[in-house]
Amino acid sequence: MAQIYDRVALIGLGLIAGSMSLAMRRAGLAGEVVGYARSAETRDTAREIGLCDRVCDTLADTVKDADLVVLCVPVGAMDSVAAEIAPHLKPGCTVSDVGSVKQAVVAAVAPHLPEGVHFIPAHPMAGTEHSGPRSGFATLFDNRWCIIVPVEGSDPDALQRVHDLWKGMGSFTDEMDPAHHDLVVAVTSHTPHLIAYTMVGVADDLGRVTDSEVIKFSAAGFRDFTRIAASDPTMWRDVFLTNKEATLEILGRFTEELFALQRAIRQGDGDHLHDYFTRTRAIRRGIIEAGQDTDAPNFGRGGAH
Ligand code: NAP
């Protein structure tokens, strides 16, 4: 794959930025990758492990002469970062992001960007419960979808290059408008995370009664919940604060279904339960057929990520 950008700047040096840098290096997509993180500690770690080609100590130096700037910070930090980089952006460059929520990010970032800078938001549908500069790996985006969310009047060439970048990093790409994106991820990612956080919280409360039993006899279902519920607290706080409407809509539907299942259990309505579980099992098969998970024991998760 040929080089797409001469210089790429990554703001925030955590799981997503680290994985992007390694995936870009793997395919030779950027001439140089420069990076910046808020804390000196993260910047030092990034230098030590060679997360990217060069780590800068200021936002201004990081974005200087960059052809692509990618905001890889928590959604709640996008506004202040965009405001600070805006005066230093190269005319005609592209600004993108990887935030998990899109309406709030567009509203926070777009007003700061000068005329002539292209804004092409994106969201890779790939992640793990790990965070920080040491958590990235080159294959994170392989065979995963990246949703690109063009804003009004996006420049076709700039848009195409962002598609090419994500494809070069191993992803499939698709486009959605910001509101639709936020609803889709509320169903597929945000609400499931909230449910996992809740279930682990409930087990923790129970743990005080049953002591270590919850951990000792932790079965696959619960273990998967604990993995999801170990995700970064800052990132997920910001997700729920900024994707409020869509998450509340899906949670409302979830609660209704839960009450219906609760009633079926109380009334001994086995047909209801069986029909429901038959329908949901078909969804699992669909995900495996679409290549988005494996049928291997323990979901093929060897524990590395
Ligand atoms: P992460 O590993 O926690 O890294 C976040 C990085 O942002 C850190 O380097 C942190 O710097 C920096 N940062 C935080 N606040 C900042 C600020 N105010 N100014 C400058 N830098 C700041 O996070 P991540 O998992 O890569 O997530 C990054 C983005 O990708 C988020 O918007 C998230 O919603 C999105 N996303 C995440 C996943 C996932 O599963 N993790 C998947 C798809 C998209 P310090 O280390 O110095 O604090």
Side-chain angles (χ1 to χ4, degrees):
M1 177 62 77
Q3 185 175 310
I4 300 171
Y5 298 99
D6 289 339
R7 182 175 294 171
V8 174
L10 301 174
I11 313 296
L13 296 174
L15 170 72
I16 301 295
S19 300
M20 286 184 73
S21 183
L22 294 170
M24 283 190 274
R25 195 177 287 166
R26 180 182 69 176
L29 304 175
E32 187 188 27
V33 179
V34 292
Y36 170 85
R38 175 180 51 169
S39 69
E41 191 189 347
T42 298
R43 296 197 296 270
D44 286 346
T45 305
R47 286 189 183 104
E48 183 194 320
I49 63 174
L51 185 147
C52 52
D53 300 317
R54 194 156 52 84
V55 177
C56 299
D57 287 320
T58 67
L59 277 170
D61 283 347
T62 315
V63 302
K64 189 172 181 282
D65 294 329
D67 305 289
L68 172 71
V69 176
V70 190
L71 310 180
C72 307
V73 296
V75 172
M78 297 279 181
D79 188 328
S80 62
V81 169
E84 204 177 327
I85 62 171
H88 309 285
L89 293 167
K90 176 176 162 178
C93 78
T94 295
V95 172
S96 187
D97 77 293
V98 294
S100 305
V101 179
K102 292 274 77 99
Q103 291 176 104
V105 170
V106 171
V109 174
H112 296 294
L113 301 183
E115 193 77 16
V117 165
H118 309 295
F119 182 37
I120 317 275
H123 177 200
M125 308 291 288
T128 75
E129 68 279 23
H130 300 295
S131 55
R134 294 185 190 274
S135 58
F137 54 102
T139 54
L140 176 65
F141 309 116
D142 285 352
N143 301 320
R144 296 279 169 238
W145 285 89
C146 180
I147 301 177
I148 296 171
V149 179
V151 293
E152 275 276 301
S154 285
D155 177 70
D157 290 339
L159 179 61
Q160 186 58 48
R161 288 216 279 170
V162 172
H163 273 278
D164 290 344
L165 176 77
W166 282 100
K167 285 182 184 158
M169 290 191 293
S171 289
F172 310 118
T173 62
D174 203 351
E175 289 183 14
M176 277 181 201
D177 69 65
H180 187 62
H181 165 277
D182 288 356
L183 187 63
V184 168
V185 294
V187 179
T188 59
S189 169
H190 301 173
T191 310
H193 269 81
L194 198 70
I195 293 164
Y197 279 121
T198 315
M199 193 57 227
V200 175
V202 167
D204 184 43
D205 289 344
L206 207 71
R208 288 189 197 120
V209 183
T210 60
D211 219 350
S212 63
E213 282 183 336
V214 168
I215 295 170
K216 187 170 167 194
F217 300 117
S218 192
F222 181 67
R223 261 190 285 136
D224 254 27
F225 275 138
T226 61
R227 187 184 57 77
I228 296 170
S231 301
D232 187 67
T234 306
M235 170 188 156
W236 285 96
R237 175 202 62 195
D238 287 1
V239 163
F240 293 116
L241 291 179
T242 56
N243 200 16
K244 192 170 164 179
E245 306 285 316
T247 314
L248 288 177
E249 163 69 21
I250 302 305
L251 264 181
R253 289 169 189 242
F254 175 81
T255 314
E256 284 173 23
E257 300 270 312
L258 197 63
F259 276 134
L261 289 174
Q262 201 174 330
R263 196 178 53 234
I265 293 170
R266 195 185 307 286
Q267 295 177 340
D269 185 351
D271 287 347
H272 180 101
L273 296 173
H274 196 272
D275 289 351
Y276 202 90
F277 302 156
T278 304
R279 183 151 69 86
T280 53
R281 184 184 229 186
I283 294 173
R284 171 78 195 153
R285 287 210 194 96
I287 289 172
I288 293 164
E289 274 160 29
Q292 293 301 301
D293 207 344
T294 128
D295 214 1
N298 200 21
F299 301 93
R301 295 182 187 114
H305 306 300

